[in-house]
Amino acid sequence: MQVKDMTVEQLRDLIRHTVEQCLEEYLGDPDAGLEVKEEVKLKLLESMKRKQAGENRIEPGEVYQKIGIKS
């Protein structure tokens, strides 16, 4: 397929894909080879469970308490 035969959306997708490939080639993956700490894995699993249970929202007071800010 030639560029002249592409739709605008197809051309945008081609450009986006090309830019992503170039950035990955130049920058690489800064997290490649690193392991996720067990504590982080557990927090992510807890978050996923809460979301599945419909608990999507944390009250502001709880956030303030967790980060040590008084409301």
Side-chain angles (χ1 to χ4, degrees), residues 11-66:
L11 181 59
R12 281 186 184 141
D13 288 342
L14 175 63
I15 293 169
R16 183 176 294 117
H17 180 72
T18 304
V19 169
E20 286 174 358
Q21 280 184 320
C22 289
L23 287 173
E24 189 171 316
E25 287 175 19
Y26 286 113
L27 302 177
D29 182 357
D31 296 327
L34 298 178
E35 292 186 30
V36 177
K37 293 180 181 179
E38 193 62 32
E39 177 184 341
V40 174
K41 287 180 187 179
L42 293 173
K43 286 185 178 184
L44 288 171
L45 287 172
E46 288 173 15
S47 175
M48 288 172 53
K49 286 178 185 176
R50 282 194 309 270
K51 187 170 185 173
Q52 289 173 348
E55 300 175 27
N56 294 337
R57 190 167 187 274
I58 298 175
E59 294 298 322
E62 185 179 345
V63 174
Y64 296 150
Q65 183 180 12
K66 284 185 178 187

Side-chain angles (χ1 to χ4, degrees), residues 4-16:
K4 69 177 184 159
D5 299 325
M6 293 180 160
T7 65
V8 172
E9 189 61 34
Q10 289 172 324
L11 181 59
R12 281 186 184 141
D13 288 342
L14 175 63
I15 293 169
R16 183 176 294 117

